[in-house]
Each structure stands twice: as structure tokens, then as C-alpha cells.
Amino acid sequence: MKVAISSTGGNLDSNIDLRFGRAYGFIIFDLETEEFKFVNNIQNLEASQGAGIQAAQTVVNQEADALITGHCGPKAFKVLSAADMKIYVGAEGTIKEVIQKFKNNELKEALSADVEGHWM
Amino acid sequence: MIKIAVASGKGGTGKSTVSTNLAYILSEVYEDVAIVDCDVEEPNCHIFLNPEIKESKECYLAVPEVNRELCIGCGKCTEICQFNSLALVKGKVIVFPEFCHSCGGCWLVCPTQAISQGQRKVGVVEAGKAQKLNFIHGKSRIGEAMSPPLIKAAKKEGSQYNIQILDCPPGTSCPVITAVDEADFVVLVTEPTPFGLYDLKLAVDVMKKLGKEFGIVINRSSENDHLIEDYANAENVSIITKIADDRRISECYSEGKLITKELTEYKEAFEPLVKLIEERLKA
């Protein structure tokens, strides 16, 4: 199982990025092999619109099964749930800590977007 | 035919005051004059002109619609889209029509013609008459983020008239550029304050880049006019006319009245603008 985590940096000691669409990047962590890779999100930091959609597309393309982030808006949620991805919001701490919380089942699955979209 | 755009950079400098009064006095003398309120997100020329609206046309933007039976999930449409309107998940395209700029890239690149042109309503264009003056304005749909398509539709409606006064939105971005596009001359309305000057400079830069002919109108003219005059002299931009800082003008404005109707001595302030238009019509 692969988990995507929005991250403020490229390693496991980086803090989780509370933003999803405009996160610095994503750590894609494989729970079986304990290996990870970093996928940057630079093009979305500068996007005038639709950053959440594009970030969701990125995470979907990485074939992650779950996403852990701070907040997730309605459009990103739509894309992620179309991919049957499990979404966990409200996570805090370093990537390492967040993965541990995930393993311990301490994160709560989001059943809808937890913030409003920027466009109607 | 002549198109005069009234723009400013800064909001609240008096664009609508200049546009409505100029259009009104022109319509007293000339047939075939129109005012087009291009400030579609907050049109207000109608408040001063009280037009009788005779026509209302809904304005739509072409946006992608995906036929799931024809779609092969290749993702070419999502790759070409620069506005993040399309996503491909599990071989299925998800469309976010509210982000679409209607560039048409997706339906052009689709190898199976699975994308057809649907519609997103962007607003309405209303047309009518305020006495002899032809009146047109666009009213953006609440929640619509893009105004240029509606501005274009309003301008198109006005393009049949011989003298067109285009009241532009404030700012210096896409809506203003759309509004002043094709204008023969741009009137930049400013006020003699540091804020007015700062935004005037931005507007002048834009007009220069667009290669527009333009001049300045100083509204709420006061002992601080030198702020604008020094800049205009240095930039070799003409100051066409000034409108005084008169409390009675503010009162007229707050009551939704035209100053050239209520305070007829101010017609004189608009004469240089009328002359500028007449000279250009003759040329």
C-alpha cells in the first residue's frame, strides 16, 4: 500500500504541509518496503486556479492508495474519491510521525471536503 | 465610427461619471451614440442614465462535455488544458467547467471526438435606451470568475453604433485589456492624490504596451493637480480636461444624477472630450 503525504520538504523529517493543492510536494511512502520518493508540486504553487485538481491528479498518477494532508477542498476531493483514494485530513507533525499515526490507525478518514473551494 | 474607452487603474476616480455625462451630452447632439458599461462585475451606469431595457441576451462560454462512450481515457485533453479544468482518473475524464477559459484545446486534441462543446452561462447583456442614448451593459452571473467573455459580448452589442463610449472596469488586468481592445482612444480618469498617481502610472504603462492613444482627465481637481501634471509633462501625455472638486458634484452622484443635466455649467468641462471625438470622426 502506498500513502501520499503533503510535505514541506523532501525527507521523512520534513513537516507535513497543511495545504494540499499548494503543498511544497508529496512524499509517496510504500508501507510494505518502507521506501519513499518525493514528488514536487512546483507547477501548482504558481497555478492561478485548479491547484487542488492538479495536485490530486499528481497523487492519483503516483498510484497512491491513501492521502494524508492538512486540509482538502471539494474539487480535489472529487478527483481523489473518483480514484477511490482514502483521504485523511487534520494530520500534524513530521512525515515520520504522521506515518506512524497512520499505522496506528490514529488518523480519521475524511468523508467530505473539510474546507470550501475558492471558486463557486 | 469611433470607440472611446474610459479607464483609470484606480477605482472610484470617476470613470462612470465621465462616461455617462460624456455619452449623454454627445447623444443630445449626435444620433447613433451608445454607452457600453463594460464593468460587468459591478455595472452602475444605469443608475445615472435610467435606461429602459428592451432586450436581454444570455451569454455563454463553450466548455467541454465528455461522451463517456467515445472517450478512450488517453488523457490528451488533460495534458493540453492549461487551466486545470480536466482530470483523468481510472480512465475517466472529470470536467470542472467553472475553470474553463474556452480555449478549445481539449476538443481539438481529442482523437475520438469524445469532447463536444457544452455551455457555461457567464451572464447577460442588456440593451435599451436612455432617451436618445443607446444603452448596453453586461451583468455577470453571480459566482462567475471570468469577465472578459461577457465584456466582449457587451462590446459586440454596442459595435453597431457610430459613437461608442466604453466604461471600463478598474484595474490593469484582463478585464480592462479586453474592454480597451479595439478602442480608438483611451481616456484615463485620475484624481490628484498619491494613490491616483500611482495607479495612473500603472494604467499608462498598460496603454503604452498596448500601443493605445490616450489622454488624462483629472477629476476632483484641486491645488494638488501638480502631482498629475508633473508626471504627465514628463511622460508627454496630454491632460484633456479637469473636473472640479465640488461638493455639489458629489451630491449629484450620490443621488444618481448626471452633473451635465443638474449642474449645466459643468458641460464646459466635457467640451474638450467632445471636441476630441469630433476631430477624430472627421479625420
Side-chain angles (χ1 to χ4, degrees):
Chain A
M1 183 184 187
K2 281 201 274 187
V3 184
I5 305 135
S6 55
S7 177
T8 56
N11 60 63
L12 300 182
D13 294 317
S14 309
N15 275 314
I16 186 169
D17 198 327
L18 297 179
R19 302 165 302 174
F20 173 62
R22 293 181 198 275
Y24 176 74
F26 301 101
I27 298 276
I28 312 293
F29 189 88
D30 190 320
L31 290 171
E32 278 88 50
T33 63
E34 298 273 317
E35 284 171 355
F36 73 93
K37 66 171 171 177
F38 175 73
V39 181
N40 80 44
N41 193 38
I42 285 172
Q43 80 283 4
N44 271 338
L45 289 176
E46 293 168 0
S48 62
Q49 60 175 30
I53 295 166
Q54 200 51 50
Q57 180 81 71
T58 300
V59 171
V60 169
N61 290 352
Q62 292 298 324
E63 295 175 340
D65 304 289
L67 166 74
I68 305 170
T69 187
H71 300 286
C72 181
K75 296 195 177 70
F77 196 91
K78 186 173 172 184
V79 174
L80 295 167
S81 47
D84 295 326
M85 198 174 298
K86 289 191 182 302
I87 303 157
Y88 300 86
V89 296
E92 282 174 27
T94 65
I95 303 299
K96 229 183 248 171
E97 289 165 354
V98 164
I99 290 169
Q100 198 51 50
K101 281 180 196 165
F102 180 76
K103 285 179 179 168
N104 297 347
N105 265 331
E106 289 169 26
L107 298 176
K108 198 170 175 235
E109 190 179 343
L111 301 172
S112 65
D114 74 318
V115 286
E116 279 182 27
H118 302 297
W119 305 58
M120 313 255 309
Chain B
M1 184 185 281
I2 187 163
K3 299 178 189 201
I4 304 291
V6 182
S8 71
K10 183 182 179 294
T13 56
K15 286 179 298 299
S16 299
T17 300
V18 169
S19 305
T20 50
N21 284 285
L22 179 60
Y24 165 69
I25 54 176
L26 283 165
S27 73
E28 280 191 313
V29 185
Y30 294 95
E31 299 287 319
D32 224 18
V33 181
I35 184 162
V36 183
D37 193 342
C38 297
D39 193 0
V40 301
E41 288 178 291
E42 39 191 352
N44 52 23
C45 289
H46 62 283
I47 295 169
F48 302 96
L49 295 165
N50 291 311
E52 189 193 332
I53 300 296
K54 292 173 177 165
E55 237 190 306
S56 179
K57 286 182 194 166
E58 294 195 330
C59 178
Y60 295 91
L61 198 63
V63 298
E65 251 175 33
V66 179
N67 181 332
R68 301 233 178 271
E69 278 166 28
L70 294 176
C71 178
I72 53 169
C74 67
K76 287 205 167 79
C77 54
T78 62
E79 284 160 24
I80 199 167
C81 182
Q82 300 299 301
F83 305 103
N84 296 334
S85 287
L86 300 157
L88 180 72
V89 177
K90 293 196 165 179
K92 277 188 186 165
V93 175
I94 303 173
V95 184
F96 293 91
E98 60 272 47
F99 283 168
C100 177
H101 283 227
S102 205
C103 74
C106 56
W107 51 76
L108 281 174
V109 296
C110 178
T112 59
Q113 278 84 51
I115 300 182
S116 59
Q117 298 182 29
Q119 288 183 325
R120 177 176 97 225
K121 187 179 170 183
V122 290
V124 291
V125 173
E126 294 181 331
K129 277 214 143 179
Q131 288 153 324
K132 288 162 72 184
L133 177 63
N134 297 290
F135 178 92
I136 295 129
H137 68 181
K139 284 161 78 178
S140 196
R141 174 178 62 81
I142 291 173
E144 174 58 48
M146 245 170 275
S147 63
L150 186 59
I151 294 171
K152 282 182 194 160
K155 284 171 66 185
K156 195 176 169 200
E157 187 69 31
S159 63
Q160 55 186 301
Y161 300 104
N162 194 36
I163 302 177
Q164 299 160 39
I165 307 297
L166 312 171
D167 187 32
C168 300
T172 46
S173 63
C174 299
V176 180
I177 288 160
T178 306
V180 303
D181 183 33
E182 297 162 26
D184 301 292
F185 192 91
V186 182
V187 175
L188 295 176
V189 184
T190 189
E191 59 182 27
T193 63
F195 189 173
L197 174 64
Y198 184 87
D199 281 7
L200 174 68
K201 286 178 181 172
L202 297 178
V204 165
D205 283 350
V206 171
M207 295 313 146
K208 282 186 174 167
K209 214 160 233 179
L210 294 174
K212 290 287 167 197
E213 273 194 81
F214 59 94
I216 295 169
V217 170
I218 302 182
N219 189 24
R220 291 193 281 278
S221 168
S222 72
E223 71 277 6
N224 295 322
D225 285 0
H226 60 90
L227 272 177
I228 307 297
E229 286 163 346
D230 293 347
Y231 167 73
N233 286 337
E235 290 290 314
N236 207 14
V237 181
S238 70
I239 293 176
I240 307 162
T241 188
K242 295 180 178 185
I243 303 166
D245 185 16
D246 182 340
R247 187 186 164 92
R248 292 177 304 152
I249 293 181
S250 305
E251 285 170 1
C252 254
Y253 176 84
S254 65
E255 287 166 13
K257 291 174 179 168
L258 288 175
I259 53 174
T260 46
K261 247 185 196 173
E262 306 294 322
L263 308 166
T264 48
E265 68 268 33
Y266 278 113
K267 272 189 177 175
E268 214 177 297
F270 289 86
E271 275 312 310
L273 284 166
V274 173
K275 211 171 268 173
L276 183 144
I277 292 167
E278 284 173 340
E279 277 165 13
R280 274 156 197 275
L281 274 173
K282 276 182 214 148

